[in-house]
Amino acid sequence: LAAGRYLLSTRGNGANPKIANYVSRKGLILSADDDPELVLFENPEALPRVYISHNVRRAPQPKDLLALISRRNFDPRELSYVDTEPDALPELMPAVGPENARIVVDGLHEVKVDVSLSAPGLLILADSYYPGWLAEVDGSPATILPTNHLFRGVRVPAGNHSVTFSYKPMSVRLGAGLSILGLVISAALAGRAWLRYRRESIASEIVREESVSKDRT
């Protein structure tokens, strides 16, 4: 479910019965064996990191949810569970044609996905749902829904769209706001000081001119 496709292990671990049993039980395939110290296994059943679901239900309690999504035949592309109120479940429709979702930007604080949907669906990114992440669909704010206990879901309408996930925690936004406020206050104080200086300069000039005029008289 977390899109973990590869398992890297030291070669010595291959003799460990527990690891050998795990590799066999999970159906992992030996992918690379040309390193003297390491071996690489591939999980052919791993989900892609982004995919679409057109069928969602409200998530039950965590214990029951974990039991549901731990089943070997569970496929979140067929049915996903969203942690939200019943009246807040996204309105979706069955797919009526080919669809595609691919990551085009994969950064530390930003993930951008190009999506092509035949009907409204839930785009699921197999990255951890975590406070501070915001989403946009074609530049407009969108709600990130906790999906399948751990991941991020965003409703996307039919058609071609760009979905952006950005990490902007409140601390960063608050800091930016305070910085801007500080600049505004500094500018206001500087402007006030300049006006005061101008008033004093004009007053001094008037006094000087009056003094010169009296001397001439």
Side-chain angles (χ1 to χ4, degrees):
L1 293 181
R5 181 165 294 277
Y6 294 98
L7 172 67
L8 186 66
S9 173
T10 59
R11 185 171 294 277
N13 278 337
N16 186 319
K18 291 184 178 180
I19 293 180
N21 179 61
Y22 176 83
V23 169
S24 175
R25 182 163 46 88
K26 294 296 182 180
L28 304 185
I29 300 172
L30 185 63
S31 178
D33 190 28
D34 54 356
D35 189 279
E37 298 181 0
L38 301 173
V39 290
L40 184 68
F41 297 94
E42 181 178 358
N43 177 13
E45 296 183 358
L47 286 168
R49 192 159 153 225
V50 286
Y51 52 91
I52 308 297
S53 180
H54 289 275
N55 185 17
V56 298
R57 294 178 186 172
R58 186 188 180 200
Q61 293 299 314
K63 181 180 179 181
D64 297 329
L65 175 60
L66 288 173
L68 289 171
I69 65 177
S70 297
R71 294 176 178 175
R72 188 171 182 83
N73 63 348
F74 174 70
D75 187 343
R77 292 167 293 189
E78 299 296 329
L79 171 64
S80 282
Y81 295 92
V82 177
D83 187 6
T84 187
E85 295 302 320
D87 57 354
L89 279 173
E91 296 182 1
L92 310 177
M93 296 179 62
V96 293
E99 299 185 325
N100 182 53
R102 64 186 185 93
I103 295 175
V104 294
V105 175
D106 189 9
L108 184 62
H109 296 108
E110 180 183 71
V111 178
K112 184 174 291 186
V113 185
D114 282 350
V115 187
S116 178
L117 298 184
S118 63
L122 187 71
L123 171 70
I124 300 172
L125 173 66
D127 287 1
S128 297
Y129 178 88
Y130 191 80
W133 281 96
L134 304 176
E136 293 181 344
V137 177
D138 299 330
S140 298
T143 300
I144 300 179
L145 300 170
T147 304
N148 298 326
H149 191 62
L150 291 175
F151 311 117
R152 309 175 203 163
V154 174
R155 182 190 182 277
V156 182
N160 298 322
H161 303 279
S162 176
V163 181
T164 302
F165 297 87
S166 302
Y167 186 59
K168 298 177 181 179
M170 183 58 69
S171 58
V172 173
R173 286 181 282 166
L174 181 61
L178 291 175
S179 298
I180 293 173
L181 179 60
L183 290 173
V184 171
I185 292 174
S186 298
L189 292 175
R192 183 177 178 182
W194 182 82
L195 289 174
R196 181 178 178 182
Y197 169 77
R198 287 292 297 159
R199 285 198 298 267
E200 291 177 351
S201 297
I202 293 173
S204 299
E205 185 66 22
I206 292 174
V207 170
R208 188 183 68 79
E209 290 180 356
E210 289 178 349
S211 177
V212 170
S213 178
K214 289 180 180 179
D215 290 343
R216 289 177 179 175
T217 302

mmCIF file with all atom_site columns, all heavy atoms in Angstrom, residues 77-96:
data_model
loop_
_atom_site.group_PDB
_atom_site.id
_atom_site.type_symbol
_atom_site.label_atom_id
_atom_site.label_alt_id
_atom_site.label_comp_id
_atom_site.label_asym_id
_atom_site.label_entity_id
_atom_site.label_seq_id
_atom_site.pdbx_PDB_ins_code
_atom_site.Cartn_x
_atom_site.Cartn_y
_atom_site.Cartn_z
_atom_site.occupancy
_atom_site.B_iso_or_equiv
_atom_site.pdbx_formal_charge
_atom_site.auth_seq_id
_atom_site.auth_comp_id
_atom_site.auth_asym_id
_atom_site.auth_atom_id
_atom_site.pdbx_PDB_model_num
ATOM 1   N N   . ARG A 1 77 ? -7.588  0.692  -5.304  1.00 0.00 ? 77 ARG A N   1
ATOM 2   C CA  . ARG A 1 77 ? -8.081  1.263  -6.554  1.00 0.00 ? 77 ARG A CA  1
ATOM 3   C C   . ARG A 1 77 ? -9.533  0.864  -6.798  1.00 0.00 ? 77 ARG A C   1
ATOM 4   O O   . ARG A 1 77 ? -10.270 1.558  -7.511  1.00 0.00 ? 77 ARG A O   1
ATOM 5   C CB  . ARG A 1 77 ? -7.196  0.802  -7.722  1.00 0.00 ? 77 ARG A CB  1
ATOM 6   C CG  . ARG A 1 77 ? -5.780  1.389  -7.667  1.00 0.00 ? 77 ARG A CG  1
ATOM 7   C CD  . ARG A 1 77 ? -4.842  0.693  -8.619  1.00 0.00 ? 77 ARG A CD  1
ATOM 8   N NE  . ARG A 1 77 ? -4.600  -0.700 -8.226  1.00 0.00 ? 77 ARG A NE  1
ATOM 9   C CZ  . ARG A 1 77 ? -3.695  -1.479 -8.787  1.00 0.00 ? 77 ARG A CZ  1
ATOM 10  N NH1 . ARG A 1 77 ? -2.934  -0.993 -9.757  1.00 0.00 ? 77 ARG A NH1 1
ATOM 11  N NH2 . ARG A 1 77 ? -3.524  -2.717 -8.378  1.00 0.00 ? 77 ARG A NH2 1
ATOM 12  N N   . GLU A 1 78 ? -9.932  -0.236 -6.164  1.00 0.00 ? 78 GLU A N   1
ATOM 13  C CA  . GLU A 1 78 ? -11.319 -0.694 -6.267  1.00 0.00 ? 78 GLU A CA  1
ATOM 14  C C   . GLU A 1 78 ? -12.191 -0.094 -5.164  1.00 0.00 ? 78 GLU A C   1
ATOM 15  O O   . GLU A 1 78 ? -13.362 0.222  -5.391  1.00 0.00 ? 78 GLU A O   1
ATOM 16  C CB  . GLU A 1 78 ? -11.374 -2.223 -6.189  1.00 0.00 ? 78 GLU A CB  1
ATOM 17  C CG  . GLU A 1 78 ? -10.615 -2.934 -7.304  1.00 0.00 ? 78 GLU A CG  1
ATOM 18  C CD  . GLU A 1 78 ? -11.212 -2.657 -8.667  1.00 0.00 ? 78 GLU A CD  1
ATOM 19  O OE1 . GLU A 1 78 ? -12.448 -2.446 -8.741  1.00 0.00 ? 78 GLU A OE1 1
ATOM 20  O OE2 . GLU A 1 78 ? -10.452 -2.652 -9.658  1.00 0.00 ? 78 GLU A OE2 1
ATOM 21  N N   . LEU A 1 79 ? -11.614 0.075  -3.975  1.00 0.00 ? 79 LEU A N   1
ATOM 22  C CA  . LEU A 1 79 ? -12.343 0.640  -2.841  1.00 0.00 ? 79 LEU A CA  1
ATOM 23  C C   . LEU A 1 79 ? -11.339 1.216  -1.859  1.00 0.00 ? 79 LEU A C   1
ATOM 24  O O   . LEU A 1 79 ? -10.388 0.543  -1.464  1.00 0.00 ? 79 LEU A O   1
ATOM 25  C CB  . LEU A 1 79 ? -13.186 -0.438 -2.151  1.00 0.00 ? 79 LEU A CB  1
ATOM 26  C CG  . LEU A 1 79 ? -13.845 -0.045 -0.823  1.00 0.00 ? 79 LEU A CG  1
ATOM 27  C CD1 . LEU A 1 79 ? -14.868 1.070  -1.050  1.00 0.00 ? 79 LEU A CD1 1
ATOM 28  C CD2 . LEU A 1 79 ? -14.491 -1.251 -0.165  1.00 0.00 ? 79 LEU A CD2 1
ATOM 29  N N   . SER A 1 80 ? -11.566 2.463  -1.471  1.00 0.00 ? 80 SER A N   1
ATOM 30  C CA  . SER A 1 80 ? -10.701 3.103  -0.487  1.00 0.00 ? 80 SER A CA  1
ATOM 31  C C   . SER A 1 80 ? -11.538 3.648  0.664   1.00 0.00 ? 80 SER A C   1
ATOM 32  O O   . SER A 1 80 ? -12.738 3.927  0.506   1.00 0.00 ? 80 SER A O   1
ATOM 33  C CB  . SER A 1 80 ? -9.893  4.238  -1.133  1.00 0.00 ? 80 SER A CB  1
ATOM 34  O OG  . SER A 1 80 ? -8.803  3.729  -1.869  1.00 0.00 ? 80 SER A OG  1
ATOM 35  N N   . TYR A 1 81 ? -10.892 3.804  1.809   1.00 0.00 ? 81 TYR A N   1
ATOM 36  C CA  . TYR A 1 81 ? -11.579 4.272  3.013   1.00 0.00 ? 81 TYR A CA  1
ATOM 37  C C   . TYR A 1 81 ? -11.060 5.664  3.380   1.00 0.00 ? 81 TYR A C   1
ATOM 38  O O   . TYR A 1 81 ? -9.851  5.878  3.522   1.00 0.00 ? 81 TYR A O   1
ATOM 39  C CB  . TYR A 1 81 ? -11.348 3.302  4.166   1.00 0.00 ? 81 TYR A CB  1
ATOM 40  C CG  . TYR A 1 81 ? -11.964 1.945  3.920   1.00 0.00 ? 81 TYR A CG  1
ATOM 41  C CD1 . TYR A 1 81 ? -11.219 0.913  3.333   1.00 0.00 ? 81 TYR A CD1 1
ATOM 42  C CD2 . TYR A 1 81 ? -13.288 1.694  4.260   1.00 0.00 ? 81 TYR A CD2 1
ATOM 43  C CE1 . TYR A 1 81 ? -11.780 -0.328 3.106   1.00 0.00 ? 81 TYR A CE1 1
ATOM 44  C CE2 . TYR A 1 81 ? -13.864 0.448  4.026   1.00 0.00 ? 81 TYR A CE2 1
ATOM 45  C CZ  . TYR A 1 81 ? -13.106 -0.553 3.455   1.00 0.00 ? 81 TYR A CZ  1
ATOM 46  O OH  . TYR A 1 81 ? -13.674 -1.788 3.220   1.00 0.00 ? 81 TYR A OH  1
ATOM 47  N N   . VAL A 1 82 ? -12.002 6.603  3.534   1.00 0.00 ? 82 VAL A N   1
ATOM 48  C CA  . VAL A 1 82 ? -11.655 7.998  3.804   1.00 0.00 ? 82 VAL A CA  1
ATOM 49  C C   . VAL A 1 82 ? -12.111 8.363  5.211   1.00 0.00 ? 82 VAL A C   1
ATOM 50  O O   . VAL A 1 82 ? -13.254 8.084  5.604   1.00 0.00 ? 82 VAL A O   1
ATOM 51  C CB  . VAL A 1 82 ? -12.318 8.938  2.774   1.00 0.00 ? 82 VAL A CB  1
ATOM 52  C CG1 . VAL A 1 82 ? -12.013 10.392 3.107   1.00 0.00 ? 82 VAL A CG1 1
ATOM 53  C CG2 . VAL A 1 82 ? -11.830 8.594  1.374   1.00 0.00 ? 82 VAL A CG2 1
ATOM 54  N N   . ASP A 1 83 ? -11.217 8.975  5.967   1.00 0.00 ? 83 ASP A N   1
ATOM 55  C CA  . ASP A 1 83 ? -11.525 9.384  7.337   1.00 0.00 ? 83 ASP A CA  1
ATOM 56  C C   . ASP A 1 83 ? -12.174 10.765 7.300   1.00 0.00 ? 83 ASP A C   1
ATOM 57  O O   . ASP A 1 83 ? -11.494 11.792 7.311   1.00 0.00 ? 83 ASP A O   1
ATOM 58  C CB  . ASP A 1 83 ? -10.245 9.405  8.175   1.00 0.00 ? 83 ASP A CB  1
ATOM 59  C CG  . ASP A 1 83 ? -10.537 9.667  9.644   1.00 0.00 ? 83 ASP A CG  1
ATOM 60  O OD1 . ASP A 1 83 ? -11.724 9.722  10.009  1.00 0.00 ? 83 ASP A OD1 1
ATOM 61  O OD2 . ASP A 1 83 ? -9.573  9.828  10.424  1.00 0.00 ? 83 ASP A OD2 1
ATOM 62  N N   . THR A 1 84 ? -13.499 10.788 7.252   1.00 0.00 ? 84 THR A N   1
ATOM 63  C CA  . THR A 1 84 ? -14.241 12.051 7.205   1.00 0.00 ? 84 THR A CA  1
ATOM 64  C C   . THR A 1 84 ? -15.658 11.809 7.676   1.00 0.00 ? 84 THR A C   1
ATOM 65  O O   . THR A 1 84 ? -16.069 10.656 7.902   1.00 0.00 ? 84 THR A O   1
ATOM 66  C CB  . THR A 1 84 ? -14.240 12.626 5.774   1.00 0.00 ? 84 THR A CB  1
ATOM 67  O OG1 . THR A 1 84 ? -14.838 13.926 5.799   1.00 0.00 ? 84 THR A OG1 1
ATOM 68  C CG2 . THR A 1 84 ? -15.021 11.735 4.826   1.00 0.00 ? 84 THR A CG2 1
ATOM 69  N N   . GLU A 1 85 ? -16.409 12.867 7.829   1.00 0.00 ? 85 GLU A N   1
ATOM 70  C CA  . GLU A 1 85 ? -17.810 12.733 8.219   1.00 0.00 ? 85 GLU A CA  1
ATOM 71  C C   . GLU A 1 85 ? -18.612 12.183 7.037   1.00 0.00 ? 85 GLU A C   1
ATOM 72  O O   . GLU A 1 85 ? -18.244 12.399 5.876   1.00 0.00 ? 85 GLU A O   1
ATOM 73  C CB  . GLU A 1 85 ? -18.363 14.089 8.648   1.00 0.00 ? 85 GLU A CB  1
ATOM 74  C CG  . GLU A 1 85 ? -17.707 14.647 9.902   1.00 0.00 ? 85 GLU A CG  1
ATOM 75  C CD  . GLU A 1 85 ? -17.843 13.715 11.091  1.00 0.00 ? 85 GLU A CD  1
ATOM 76  O OE1 . GLU A 1 85 ? -18.930 13.125 11.252  1.00 0.00 ? 85 GLU A OE1 1
ATOM 77  O OE2 . GLU A 1 85 ? -16.866 13.563 11.841  1.00 0.00 ? 85 GLU A OE2 1
ATOM 78  N N   . PRO A 1 86 ? -19.722 11.502 7.311   1.00 0.00 ? 86 PRO A N   1
ATOM 79  C CA  . PRO A 1 86 ? -20.504 10.892 6.226   1.00 0.00 ? 86 PRO A CA  1
ATOM 80  C C   . PRO A 1 86 ? -20.937 11.882 5.156   1.00 0.00 ? 86 PRO A C   1
ATOM 81  O O   . PRO A 1 86 ? -20.909 11.569 3.961   1.00 0.00 ? 86 PRO A O   1
ATOM 82  C CB  . PRO A 1 86 ? -21.715 10.296 6.958   1.00 0.00 ? 86 PRO A CB  1
ATOM 83  C CG  . PRO A 1 86 ? -21.240 10.068 8.352   1.00 0.00 ? 86 PRO A CG  1
ATOM 84  C CD  . PRO A 1 86 ? -20.274 11.168 8.637   1.00 0.00 ? 86 PRO A CD  1
ATOM 85  N N   . ASP A 1 87 ? -21.314 13.096 5.569   1.00 0.00 ? 87 ASP A N   1
ATOM 86  C CA  . ASP A 1 87 ? -21.782 14.077 4.584   1.00 0.00 ? 87 ASP A CA  1
ATOM 87  C C   . ASP A 1 87 ? -20.635 14.778 3.868   1.00 0.00 ? 87 ASP A C   1
ATOM 88  O O   . ASP A 1 87 ? -20.863 15.633 3.007   1.00 0.00 ? 87 ASP A O   1
ATOM 89  C CB  . ASP A 1 87 ? -22.689 15.118 5.253   1.00 0.00 ? 87 ASP A CB  1
ATOM 90  C CG  . ASP A 1 87 ? -21.988 15.840 6.408   1.00 0.00 ? 87 ASP A CG  1
ATOM 91  O OD1 . ASP A 1 87 ? -20.857 15.452 6.749   1.00 0.00 ? 87 ASP A OD1 1
ATOM 92  O OD2 . ASP A 1 87 ? -22.582 16.780 6.968   1.00 0.00 ? 87 ASP A OD2 1
ATOM 93  N N   . ALA A 1 88 ? -19.381 14.422 4.221   1.00 0.00 ? 88 ALA A N   1
ATOM 94  C CA  . ALA A 1 88 ? -18.224 15.045 3.582   1.00 0.00 ? 88 ALA A CA  1
ATOM 95  C C   . ALA A 1 88 ? -17.489 14.094 2.647   1.00 0.00 ? 88 ALA A C   1
ATOM 96  O O   . ALA A 1 88 ? -16.425 14.444 2.116   1.00 0.00 ? 88 ALA A O   1
ATOM 97  C CB  . ALA A 1 88 ? -17.252 15.569 4.638   1.00 0.00 ? 88 ALA A CB  1
ATOM 98  N N   . LEU A 1 89 ? -18.043 12.898 2.430   1.00 0.00 ? 89 LEU A N   1
ATOM 99  C CA  . LEU A 1 89 ? -17.415 11.973 1.488   1.00 0.00 ? 89 LEU A CA  1
ATOM 100 C C   . LEU A 1 89 ? -17.411 12.590 0.086   1.00 0.00 ? 89 LEU A C   1
ATOM 101 O O   . LEU A 1 89 ? -18.412 13.185 -0.332  1.00 0.00 ? 89 LEU A O   1
ATOM 102 C CB  . LEU A 1 89 ? -18.170 10.650 1.454   1.00 0.00 ? 89 LEU A CB  1
ATOM 103 C CG  . LEU A 1 89 ? -17.871 9.645  2.570   1.00 0.00 ? 89 LEU A CG  1
ATOM 104 C CD1 . LEU A 1 89 ? -18.825 8.475  2.479   1.00 0.00 ? 89 LEU A CD1 1
ATOM 105 C CD2 . LEU A 1 89 ? -16.423 9.170  2.482   1.00 0.00 ? 89 LEU A CD2 1
ATOM 106 N N   . PRO A 1 90 ? -16.306 12.481 -0.640  1.00 0.00 ? 90 PRO A N   1
ATOM 107 C CA  . PRO A 1 90 ? -16.256 13.071 -1.983  1.00 0.00 ? 90 PRO A CA  1
ATOM 108 C C   . PRO A 1 90 ? -17.226 12.385 -2.940  1.00 0.00 ? 90 PRO A C   1
ATOM 109 O O   . PRO A 1 90 ? -17.397 11.164 -2.886  1.00 0.00 ? 90 PRO A O   1
ATOM 110 C CB  . PRO A 1 90 ? -14.800 12.849 -2.417  1.00 0.00 ? 90 PRO A CB  1
ATOM 111 C CG  . PRO A 1 90 ? -14.333 11.688 -1.602  1.00 0.00 ? 90 PRO A CG  1
ATOM 112 C CD  . PRO A 1 90 ? -15.047 11.800 -0.283  1.00 0.00 ? 90 PRO A CD  1
ATOM 113 N N   . GLU A 1 91 ? -17.884 13.183 -3.776  1.00 0.00 ? 91 GLU A N   1
ATOM 114 C CA  . GLU A 1 91 ? -18.805 12.629 -4.764  1.00 0.00 ? 91 GLU A CA  1
ATOM 115 C C   . GLU A 1 91 ? -18.023 12.178 -5.995  1.00 0.00 ? 91 GLU A C   1
ATOM 116 O O   . GLU A 1 91 ? -17.387 12.983 -6.668  1.00 0.00 ? 91 GLU A O   1
ATOM 117 C CB  . GLU A 1 91 ? -19.847 13.683 -5.145  1.00 0.00 ? 91 GLU A CB  1
ATOM 118 C CG  . GLU A 1 91 ? -20.738 14.097 -3.975  1.00 0.00 ? 91 GLU A CG  1
ATOM 119 C CD  . GLU A 1 91 ? -21.778 15.109 -4.409  1.00 0.00 ? 91 GLU A CD  1
ATOM 120 O OE1 . GLU A 1 91 ? -21.808 15.462 -5.618  1.00 0.00 ? 91 GLU A OE1 1
ATOM 121 O OE2 . GLU A 1 91 ? -22.558 15.556 -3.549  1.00 0.00 ? 91 GLU A OE2 1
ATOM 122 N N   . LEU A 1 92 ? -18.064 10.879 -6.265  1.00 0.00 ? 92 LEU A N   1
ATOM 123 C CA  . LEU A 1 92 ? -17.292 10.286 -7.347  1.00 0.00 ? 92 LEU A CA  1
ATOM 124 C C   . LEU A 1 92 ? -18.225 9.585  -8.323  1.00 0.00 ? 92 LEU A C   1
ATOM 125 O O   . LEU A 1 92 ? -19.411 9.383  -8.042  1.00 0.00 ? 92 LEU A O   1
ATOM 126 C CB  . LEU A 1 92 ? -16.268 9.294  -6.793  1.00 0.00 ? 92 LEU A CB  1
ATOM 127 C CG  . LEU A 1 92 ? -15.375 9.786  -5.647  1.00 0.00 ? 92 LEU A CG  1
ATOM 128 C CD1 . LEU A 1 92 ? -14.473 8.670  -5.170  1.00 0.00 ? 92 LEU A CD1 1
ATOM 129 C CD2 . LEU A 1 92 ? -14.560 11.004 -6.073  1.00 0.00 ? 92 LEU A CD2 1
ATOM 130 N N   . MET A 1 93 ? -17.677 9.196  -9.469  1.00 0.00 ? 93 MET A N   1
ATOM 131 C CA  . MET A 1 93 ? -18.427 8.444  -10.473 1.00 0.00 ? 93 MET A CA  1
ATOM 132 C C   . MET A 1 93 ? -17.535 7.351  -11.031 1.00 0.00 ? 93 MET A C   1
ATOM 133 O O   . MET A 1 93 ? -16.297 7.486  -11.040 1.00 0.00 ? 93 MET A O   1
ATOM 134 C CB  . MET A 1 93 ? -18.901 9.380  -11.603 1.00 0.00 ? 93 MET A CB  1
ATOM 135 C CG  . MET A 1 93 ? -19.886 10.447 -11.158 1.00 0.00 ? 93 MET A CG  1
ATOM 136 S SD  . MET A 1 93 ? -20.374 11.523 -12.527 1.00 0.00 ? 93 MET A SD  1
ATOM 137 C CE  . MET A 1 93 ? -21.167 10.320 -13.605 1.00 0.00 ? 93 MET A CE  1
ATOM 138 N N   . PRO A 1 94 ? -18.099 6.244  -11.496 1.00 0.00 ? 94 PRO A N   1
ATOM 139 C CA  . PRO A 1 94 ? -17.291 5.162  -12.077 1.00 0.00 ? 94 PRO A CA  1
ATOM 140 C C   . PRO A 1 94 ? -16.534 5.635  -13.316 1.00 0.00 ? 94 PRO A C   1
ATOM 141 O O   . PRO A 1 94 ? -17.028 6.470  -14.078 1.00 0.00 ? 94 PRO A O   1
ATOM 142 C CB  . PRO A 1 94 ? -18.333 4.099  -12.439 1.00 0.00 ? 94 PRO A CB  1
ATOM 143 C CG  . PRO A 1 94 ? -19.520 4.411  -11.599 1.00 0.00 ? 94 PRO A CG  1
ATOM 144 C CD  . PRO A 1 94 ? -19.531 5.897  -11.436 1.00 0.00 ? 94 PRO A CD  1
ATOM 145 N N   . ALA A 1 95 ? -15.356 5.101  -13.506 1.00 0.00 ? 95 ALA A N   1
ATOM 146 C CA  . ALA A 1 95 ? -14.561 5.440  -14.689 1.00 0.00 ? 95 ALA A CA  1
ATOM 147 C C   . ALA A 1 95 ? -15.258 4.925  -15.946 1.00 0.00 ? 95 ALA A C   1
ATOM 148 O O   . ALA A 1 95 ? -15.855 3.840  -15.934 1.00 0.00 ? 95 ALA A O   1
ATOM 149 C CB  . ALA A 1 95 ? -13.169 4.842  -14.578 1.00 0.00 ? 95 ALA A CB  1
ATOM 150 N N   . VAL A 1 96 ? -15.175 5.700  -17.006 1.00 0.00 ? 96 VAL A N   1
ATOM 151 C CA  . VAL A 1 96 ? -15.808 5.304  -18.266 1.00 0.00 ? 96 VAL A CA  1
ATOM 152 C C   . VAL A 1 96 ? -14.791 5.252  -19.399 1.00 0.00 ? 96 VAL A C   1
ATOM 153 O O   . VAL A 1 96 ? -15.169 5.117  -20.570 1.00 0.00 ? 96 VAL A O   1
ATOM 154 C CB  . VAL A 1 96 ? -16.952 6.282  -18.634 1.00 0.00 ? 96 VAL A CB  1
ATOM 155 C CG1 . VAL A 1 96 ? -18.084 6.177  -17.638 1.00 0.00 ? 96 VAL A CG1 1
ATOM 156 C CG2 . VAL A 1 96 ? -16.438 7.717  -18.725 1.00 0.00 ? 96 VAL A CG2 1
#
